[in-house]
Short mmCIF file of all heavy atoms in Angstrom, two decimals:
data_model
loop_
_atom_site.label_atom_id
_atom_site.label_comp_id
_atom_site.label_asym_id
_atom_site.label_seq_id
_atom_site.Cartn_x
_atom_site.Cartn_y
_atom_site.Cartn_z
N MET A 8 48.21 -23.19 62.04
CA MET A 8 47.74 -23.24 60.67
C MET A 8 46.41 -22.49 60.59
O MET A 8 45.54 -22.63 61.44
CB MET A 8 47.57 -24.70 60.25
CG MET A 8 47.19 -24.88 58.84
SD MET A 8 47.45 -26.60 58.39
CE MET A 8 47.87 -26.38 56.74
N GLU A 9 46.25 -21.68 59.53
CA GLU A 9 45.04 -20.88 59.37
C GLU A 9 43.92 -21.69 58.73
O GLU A 9 44.17 -22.58 57.91
CB GLU A 9 45.34 -19.67 58.49
CG GLU A 9 46.30 -18.70 59.10
CD GLU A 9 46.55 -17.51 58.20
OE1 GLU A 9 45.66 -17.17 57.41
OE2 GLU A 9 47.65 -16.94 58.28
N ALA A 10 42.72 -21.34 59.08
CA ALA A 10 41.56 -22.01 58.50
C ALA A 10 41.32 -21.44 57.10
O ALA A 10 41.44 -20.24 56.87
CB ALA A 10 40.33 -21.80 59.36
N VAL A 11 41.00 -22.31 56.17
CA VAL A 11 40.73 -21.89 54.80
C VAL A 11 39.26 -21.49 54.70
O VAL A 11 38.37 -22.24 55.07
CB VAL A 11 41.03 -23.03 53.81
CG1 VAL A 11 40.69 -22.62 52.40
CG2 VAL A 11 42.49 -23.45 53.92
N THR A 12 39.05 -20.26 54.22
CA THR A 12 37.67 -19.81 54.03
C THR A 12 37.33 -19.91 52.55
O THR A 12 38.16 -19.65 51.69
CB THR A 12 37.50 -18.36 54.49
OG1 THR A 12 38.40 -17.54 53.77
CG2 THR A 12 37.78 -18.22 55.97
N SER A 13 36.13 -20.30 52.28
CA SER A 13 35.71 -20.41 50.88
C SER A 13 35.14 -19.07 50.42
O SER A 13 34.55 -18.32 51.19
CB SER A 13 34.67 -21.51 50.71
OG SER A 13 33.50 -21.17 51.41
N PHE A 14 35.35 -18.80 49.15
CA PHE A 14 34.87 -17.55 48.55
C PHE A 14 33.91 -17.90 47.44
O PHE A 14 34.26 -18.62 46.50
CB PHE A 14 36.06 -16.75 47.99
CG PHE A 14 35.66 -15.47 47.32
CD1 PHE A 14 35.22 -14.40 48.06
CD2 PHE A 14 35.70 -15.34 45.94
CE1 PHE A 14 34.85 -13.21 47.47
CE2 PHE A 14 35.34 -14.17 45.33
CZ PHE A 14 34.91 -13.10 46.09
N GLU A 15 32.69 -17.42 47.55
CA GLU A 15 31.68 -17.71 46.54
C GLU A 15 31.55 -16.54 45.58
O GLU A 15 31.42 -15.40 46.02
CB GLU A 15 30.33 -18.00 47.18
CG GLU A 15 30.30 -19.31 47.93
CD GLU A 15 28.89 -19.66 48.39
OE1 GLU A 15 27.93 -19.23 47.72
OE2 GLU A 15 28.78 -20.34 49.39
N VAL A 16 31.59 -16.83 44.32
CA VAL A 16 31.44 -15.80 43.30
C VAL A 16 29.96 -15.72 42.95
O VAL A 16 29.34 -16.74 42.63
CB VAL A 16 32.27 -16.14 42.04
CG1 VAL A 16 32.07 -15.11 40.97
CG2 VAL A 16 33.72 -16.30 42.41
N PRO A 17 29.38 -14.51 43.00
CA PRO A 17 27.95 -14.40 42.66
C PRO A 17 27.74 -14.67 41.17
O PRO A 17 28.56 -14.31 40.33
CB PRO A 17 27.60 -12.96 43.02
CG PRO A 17 28.90 -12.24 43.02
CD PRO A 17 29.96 -13.24 43.38
N LEU A 18 26.65 -15.28 40.86
CA LEU A 18 26.32 -15.57 39.47
C LEU A 18 25.70 -14.34 38.82
O LEU A 18 24.82 -13.69 39.40
CB LEU A 18 25.34 -16.74 39.39
CG LEU A 18 25.87 -18.08 39.90
CD1 LEU A 18 24.78 -19.13 39.87
CD2 LEU A 18 27.06 -18.53 39.07
N ILE A 19 26.16 -14.03 37.62
CA ILE A 19 25.65 -12.86 36.91
C ILE A 19 24.19 -13.07 36.53
O ILE A 19 23.40 -12.13 36.56
CB ILE A 19 26.52 -12.58 35.66
CG1 ILE A 19 27.92 -12.21 36.08
CG2 ILE A 19 25.91 -11.49 34.80
CD1 ILE A 19 28.89 -12.07 34.93
N GLY A 20 23.84 -14.28 36.19
CA GLY A 20 22.47 -14.57 35.77
C GLY A 20 21.44 -14.26 36.83
O GLY A 20 20.28 -13.97 36.52
N GLU A 21 21.83 -14.30 38.08
CA GLU A 21 20.88 -14.02 39.15
C GLU A 21 20.65 -12.52 39.32
O GLU A 21 19.62 -12.10 39.83
CB GLU A 21 21.39 -14.61 40.47
CG GLU A 21 21.43 -16.11 40.46
CD GLU A 21 22.05 -16.67 41.72
OE1 GLU A 21 22.57 -15.88 42.55
OE2 GLU A 21 22.04 -17.90 41.88
N SER A 22 21.62 -11.70 38.92
CA SER A 22 21.48 -10.26 39.12
C SER A 22 20.95 -9.53 37.89
O SER A 22 20.57 -8.37 37.99
CB SER A 22 22.83 -9.65 39.52
OG SER A 22 23.77 -9.85 38.50
N VAL A 23 20.93 -10.19 36.73
CA VAL A 23 20.42 -9.55 35.51
C VAL A 23 18.91 -9.66 35.48
O VAL A 23 18.34 -10.73 35.67
CB VAL A 23 21.03 -10.21 34.26
CG1 VAL A 23 20.41 -9.66 32.99
CG2 VAL A 23 22.53 -10.00 34.24
N THR A 24 18.27 -8.52 35.25
CA THR A 24 16.81 -8.51 35.20
C THR A 24 16.35 -7.97 33.85
O THR A 24 17.16 -7.51 33.04
CB THR A 24 16.24 -7.62 36.32
OG1 THR A 24 16.72 -6.29 36.12
CG2 THR A 24 16.68 -8.10 37.69
N ALA A 25 15.06 -8.01 33.64
CA ALA A 25 14.50 -7.46 32.39
C ALA A 25 14.73 -5.96 32.31
O ALA A 25 14.91 -5.41 31.22
CB ALA A 25 13.02 -7.78 32.29
N ALA A 26 14.76 -5.29 33.46
CA ALA A 26 15.00 -3.85 33.47
C ALA A 26 16.41 -3.52 32.98
O ALA A 26 16.62 -2.49 32.33
CB ALA A 26 14.78 -3.29 34.86
N SER A 27 17.37 -4.39 33.27
CA SER A 27 18.73 -4.18 32.80
C SER A 27 18.77 -4.20 31.27
O SER A 27 19.39 -3.34 30.65
CB SER A 27 19.66 -5.26 33.34
OG SER A 27 19.66 -5.27 34.74
N PHE A 28 18.13 -5.19 30.69
CA PHE A 28 18.11 -5.28 29.23
C PHE A 28 17.32 -4.14 28.61
O PHE A 28 17.66 -3.64 27.55
CB PHE A 28 17.53 -6.62 28.78
CG PHE A 28 18.49 -7.76 28.93
CD1 PHE A 28 18.24 -8.79 29.81
CD2 PHE A 28 19.66 -7.79 28.20
CE1 PHE A 28 19.13 -9.83 29.96
CE2 PHE A 28 20.56 -8.82 28.34
CZ PHE A 28 20.29 -9.85 29.23
N SER A 29 16.28 -3.70 29.28
CA SER A 29 15.49 -2.59 28.78
C SER A 29 16.33 -1.32 28.75
O SER A 29 16.25 -0.55 27.79
CB SER A 29 14.25 -2.39 29.66
OG SER A 29 13.53 -1.27 29.23
N GLY A 30 17.13 -1.10 29.77
CA GLY A 30 18.00 0.08 29.80
C GLY A 30 19.03 0.04 28.70
O GLY A 30 19.31 1.06 28.05
N ILE A 31 19.62 -1.13 28.46
CA ILE A 31 20.61 -1.28 27.40
C ILE A 31 19.96 -1.04 26.04
O ILE A 31 20.52 -0.34 25.18
CB ILE A 31 21.26 -2.68 27.46
CG1 ILE A 31 22.09 -2.81 28.73
CG2 ILE A 31 22.11 -2.94 26.23
CD1 ILE A 31 22.57 -4.20 29.00
N LEU A 32 18.78 -1.58 25.83
CA LEU A 32 18.07 -1.40 24.56
C LEU A 32 17.72 0.07 24.34
O LEU A 32 17.82 0.58 23.22
CB LEU A 32 16.83 -2.27 24.53
CG LEU A 32 16.07 -2.30 23.21
CD1 LEU A 32 16.95 -2.86 22.11
CD2 LEU A 32 14.82 -3.14 23.35
N ASP A 33 17.31 0.75 25.42
CA ASP A 33 17.00 2.19 25.30
C ASP A 33 18.23 2.98 24.89
O ASP A 33 18.15 3.90 24.07
CB ASP A 33 16.45 2.73 26.62
CG ASP A 33 15.06 2.21 26.93
OD1 ASP A 33 14.39 1.72 25.99
OD2 ASP A 33 14.65 2.28 28.11
N GLN A 34 19.38 2.64 25.46
CA GLN A 34 20.62 3.35 25.12
C GLN A 34 21.00 3.10 23.66
O GLN A 34 21.44 4.00 22.95
CB GLN A 34 21.76 2.91 26.04
CG GLN A 34 21.60 3.34 27.46
CD GLN A 34 21.61 4.84 27.62
OE1 GLN A 34 22.33 5.54 26.93
NE2 GLN A 34 20.79 5.33 28.53
N MET A 35 20.85 1.86 23.21
CA MET A 35 21.20 1.53 21.82
C MET A 35 20.28 2.25 20.84
O MET A 35 20.75 2.76 19.81
CB MET A 35 21.15 0.02 21.61
CG MET A 35 22.27 -0.71 22.32
SD MET A 35 22.14 -2.49 22.22
CE MET A 35 22.34 -2.76 20.49
N THR A 36 18.99 2.29 21.13
CA THR A 36 18.08 2.98 20.22
C THR A 36 18.28 4.49 20.24
O THR A 36 18.02 5.17 19.25
CB THR A 36 16.61 2.65 20.55
OG1 THR A 36 16.36 2.94 21.92
CG2 THR A 36 16.30 1.19 20.27
N SER A 37 18.77 5.03 21.35
CA SER A 37 19.04 6.46 21.39
C SER A 37 20.28 6.82 20.57
O SER A 37 20.43 7.95 20.14
CB SER A 37 19.21 6.94 22.83
OG SER A 37 20.41 6.45 23.39
N LEU A 38 21.17 5.85 20.35
CA LEU A 38 22.37 6.09 19.54
C LEU A 38 22.11 5.97 18.04
O LEU A 38 22.91 6.46 17.25
CB LEU A 38 23.47 5.11 19.92
CG LEU A 38 24.21 5.40 21.21
CD1 LEU A 38 25.19 4.29 21.51
CD2 LEU A 38 24.92 6.73 21.14
N LEU A 39 21.02 5.33 17.65
CA LEU A 39 20.75 5.12 16.23
C LEU A 39 20.72 6.41 15.40
O LEU A 39 21.32 6.43 14.32
CB LEU A 39 19.45 4.35 16.04
CG LEU A 39 19.57 2.84 16.13
CD1 LEU A 39 18.20 2.19 15.98
CD2 LEU A 39 20.53 2.30 15.11
N PRO A 40 20.08 7.49 15.83
CA PRO A 40 20.07 8.70 15.00
C PRO A 40 21.45 9.30 14.79
O PRO A 40 21.66 10.04 13.84
CB PRO A 40 19.19 9.67 15.79
CG PRO A 40 18.37 8.84 16.68
CD PRO A 40 19.18 7.62 16.99
N VAL A 41 22.40 8.98 15.65
CA VAL A 41 23.76 9.50 15.50
C VAL A 41 24.60 8.56 14.64
O VAL A 41 25.34 8.99 13.76
CB VAL A 41 24.42 9.68 16.89
CG1 VAL A 41 25.85 10.12 16.75
CG2 VAL A 41 23.62 10.65 17.72
N VAL A 42 24.48 7.26 14.90
CA VAL A 42 25.36 6.28 14.26
C VAL A 42 24.92 5.95 12.84
O VAL A 42 25.77 5.79 11.96
CB VAL A 42 25.41 5.00 15.13
CG1 VAL A 42 26.19 3.89 14.45
CG2 VAL A 42 26.02 5.31 16.48
N LEU A 43 23.63 5.87 12.59
CA LEU A 43 23.14 5.45 11.28
C LEU A 43 23.58 6.38 10.14
O LEU A 43 24.09 5.89 9.12
CB LEU A 43 21.63 5.30 11.32
CG LEU A 43 21.00 4.57 10.14
CD1 LEU A 43 21.52 3.15 10.05
CD2 LEU A 43 19.48 4.55 10.29
N PRO A 44 23.47 7.70 10.27
CA PRO A 44 23.96 8.56 9.18
C PRO A 44 25.47 8.44 8.95
O PRO A 44 25.92 8.53 7.82
CB PRO A 44 23.59 9.97 9.64
CG PRO A 44 22.50 9.80 10.60
CD PRO A 44 22.74 8.49 11.27
N VAL A 45 26.22 8.22 10.01
CA VAL A 45 27.67 8.06 9.87
C VAL A 45 27.98 6.79 9.08
O VAL A 45 28.83 6.79 8.18
CB VAL A 45 28.36 8.04 11.25
CG1 VAL A 45 29.82 7.70 11.12
CG2 VAL A 45 28.17 9.38 11.94
N VAL A 46 27.29 5.71 9.39
CA VAL A 46 27.51 4.45 8.68
C VAL A 46 27.12 4.59 7.21
O VAL A 46 27.87 4.16 6.31
CB VAL A 46 26.72 3.31 9.35
CG1 VAL A 46 26.73 2.05 8.51
CG2 VAL A 46 27.26 3.02 10.73
N VAL A 47 25.99 5.21 6.94
CA VAL A 47 25.54 5.39 5.56
C VAL A 47 26.52 6.28 4.80
O VAL A 47 26.87 6.00 3.65
CB VAL A 47 24.11 5.97 5.53
CG1 VAL A 47 23.72 6.40 4.14
CG2 VAL A 47 23.12 4.95 6.07
N ALA A 48 27.00 7.34 5.42
CA ALA A 48 27.95 8.23 4.77
C ALA A 48 29.27 7.52 4.46
O ALA A 48 29.84 7.70 3.38
CB ALA A 48 28.21 9.46 5.64
N CYS A 49 29.74 6.71 5.38
CA CYS A 49 30.99 5.97 5.14
C CYS A 49 30.83 4.98 3.99
O CYS A 49 31.71 4.86 3.14
CB CYS A 49 31.42 5.23 6.41
SG CYS A 49 32.05 6.32 7.68
N LEU A 50 29.70 4.28 3.95
CA LEU A 50 29.46 3.34 2.86
C LEU A 50 29.35 4.07 1.52
O LEU A 50 29.88 3.60 0.50
CB LEU A 50 28.21 2.52 3.13
CG LEU A 50 28.31 1.51 4.26
CD1 LEU A 50 26.96 0.87 4.53
CD2 LEU A 50 29.35 0.45 3.96
N ALA A 51 28.67 5.20 1.51
CA ALA A 51 28.54 5.98 0.28
C ALA A 51 29.89 6.51 -0.18
O ALA A 51 30.20 6.50 -1.37
CB ALA A 51 27.57 7.14 0.50
N PHE A 52 30.71 6.96 0.76
CA PHE A 52 32.03 7.46 0.42
C PHE A 52 32.90 6.35 -0.19
O PHE A 52 33.56 6.55 -1.21
CB PHE A 52 32.71 8.03 1.68
CG PHE A 52 34.01 8.69 1.42
CD1 PHE A 52 34.08 9.91 0.77
CD2 PHE A 52 35.20 8.09 1.82
CE1 PHE A 52 35.30 10.52 0.53
CE2 PHE A 52 36.42 8.68 1.57
CZ PHE A 52 36.47 9.91 0.92
N ARG A 53 32.86 5.16 0.41
CA ARG A 53 33.63 4.03 -0.13
C ARG A 53 33.14 3.66 -1.52
O ARG A 53 33.93 3.35 -2.41
CB ARG A 53 33.49 2.82 0.80
CG ARG A 53 34.31 2.93 2.06
CD ARG A 53 34.27 1.67 2.85
NE ARG A 53 34.73 0.56 2.05
CZ ARG A 53 34.51 -0.72 2.33
NH1 ARG A 53 33.82 -1.05 3.39
NH2 ARG A 53 34.97 -1.68 1.55
N LYS A 54 31.82 3.66 -1.71
CA LYS A 54 31.27 3.30 -3.03
C LYS A 54 31.65 4.36 -4.06
O LYS A 54 31.97 4.02 -5.20
CB LYS A 54 29.76 3.15 -2.94
CG LYS A 54 29.15 2.60 -4.20
CD LYS A 54 27.84 1.94 -3.88
CE LYS A 54 27.23 1.35 -5.12
NZ LYS A 54 27.66 0.01 -5.40
N GLY A 55 31.63 5.63 -3.67
CA GLY A 55 32.01 6.70 -4.59
C GLY A 55 33.48 6.62 -4.98
O GLY A 55 33.82 6.79 -6.15
N ILE A 56 34.34 6.35 -4.02
CA ILE A 56 35.77 6.20 -4.32
C ILE A 56 35.99 5.01 -5.25
O ILE A 56 36.77 5.09 -6.22
CB ILE A 56 36.58 6.04 -3.01
CG1 ILE A 56 36.54 7.32 -2.21
CG2 ILE A 56 38.01 5.61 -3.30
CD1 ILE A 56 37.26 8.49 -2.85
N SER A 57 35.30 3.92 -4.99
CA SER A 57 35.44 2.73 -5.84
C SER A 57 34.96 3.03 -7.26
O SER A 57 35.59 2.61 -8.25
CB SER A 57 34.62 1.59 -5.24
OG SER A 57 34.63 0.47 -6.08
N PHE A 58 33.87 3.77 -7.38
CA PHE A 58 33.34 4.13 -8.70
C PHE A 58 34.35 5.01 -9.45
O PHE A 58 34.61 4.79 -10.64
CB PHE A 58 32.02 4.87 -8.54
CG PHE A 58 31.45 5.38 -9.82
CD1 PHE A 58 30.89 4.51 -10.74
CD2 PHE A 58 31.48 6.73 -10.11
CE1 PHE A 58 30.38 4.98 -11.95
CE2 PHE A 58 30.97 7.22 -11.30
CZ PHE A 58 30.41 6.34 -12.23
N LEU A 59 34.91 6.00 -8.76
CA LEU A 59 35.89 6.88 -9.41
C LEU A 59 37.14 6.12 -9.83
O LEU A 59 37.68 6.37 -10.92
CB LEU A 59 36.26 8.04 -8.47
CG LEU A 59 35.20 9.11 -8.29
CD1 LEU A 59 35.67 10.12 -7.28
CD2 LEU A 59 34.90 9.78 -9.61
N ARG A 60 37.61 5.21 -8.99
CA ARG A 60 38.78 4.42 -9.36
C ARG A 60 38.50 3.57 -10.59
O ARG A 60 39.35 3.40 -11.47
CB ARG A 60 39.21 3.54 -8.20
CG ARG A 60 39.86 4.35 -7.09
CD ARG A 60 40.26 3.48 -5.93
NE ARG A 60 41.29 2.54 -6.36
CZ ARG A 60 41.77 1.56 -5.61
NH1 ARG A 60 41.30 1.41 -4.39
NH2 ARG A 60 42.70 0.75 -6.05
N GLY A 61 37.27 3.01 -10.66
CA GLY A 61 36.90 2.21 -11.82
C GLY A 61 36.82 3.04 -13.08
O GLY A 61 37.24 2.60 -14.16
N MET A 62 36.31 4.26 -12.96
CA MET A 62 36.21 5.14 -14.12
C MET A 62 37.61 5.58 -14.61
O MET A 62 37.85 5.65 -15.81
CB MET A 62 35.38 6.39 -13.78
CG MET A 62 33.91 6.09 -13.52
SD MET A 62 33.06 5.45 -14.97
CE MET A 62 33.00 6.90 -15.98
N ILE A 63 38.49 5.85 -13.67
CA ILE A 63 39.85 6.27 -14.04
C ILE A 63 40.60 5.10 -14.66
O ILE A 63 41.31 5.26 -15.65
CB ILE A 63 40.58 6.84 -12.82
CG1 ILE A 63 39.95 8.17 -12.41
CG2 ILE A 63 42.07 7.02 -13.11
CD1 ILE A 63 40.45 8.71 -11.09
N ALA A 64 40.46 3.91 -14.09
CA ALA A 64 41.15 2.74 -14.62
C ALA A 64 40.59 2.36 -16.00
O ALA A 64 41.33 1.85 -16.85
CB ALA A 64 41.02 1.57 -13.66
N GLY A 65 39.34 2.61 -16.22
CA GLY A 65 38.71 2.24 -17.50
C GLY A 65 38.97 3.26 -18.61
O GLY A 65 38.70 2.99 -19.79
N ALA A 66 39.48 4.42 -18.25
CA ALA A 66 39.69 5.47 -19.25
C ALA A 66 40.96 5.25 -20.06
O ALA A 66 41.86 4.60 -19.75
CB ALA A 66 39.77 6.83 -18.57
#
């Protein structure tokens, strides 16, 4: 019969440091100049389509 060996799973909380979060935050802030105009344009496009549909339905 073989001996059973135990396997320990490392805890994520022990390996996460402030530098990890700083790197993630830096990446997110670097994406803002790209993502923000796209989000604003999509919202404006939806609002414009809704306005045109309302004007056509009201005519």
Side-chain angles (χ1 to χ4, degrees):
M8 185 165 212
E9 295 180 28
V11 177
T12 58
S13 65
F14 179 72
E15 290 188 28
V16 178
L18 296 175
I19 295 173
E21 294 175 353
S22 61
V23 174
T24 61
S27 301
F28 283 115
S29 177
I31 293 170
L32 187 61
D33 289 342
Q34 292 296 324
M35 289 174 65
T36 54
S37 70
L38 283 175
L39 276 178
V41 176
V42 174
L43 194 61
V45 172
V46 170
V47 170
C49 287
L50 290 174
F52 186 72
R53 284 186 57 198
K54 188 156 181 88
I56 293 294
S57 175
F58 175 74
L59 286 176
R60 287 179 64 187
M62 293 296 289
I63 291 171

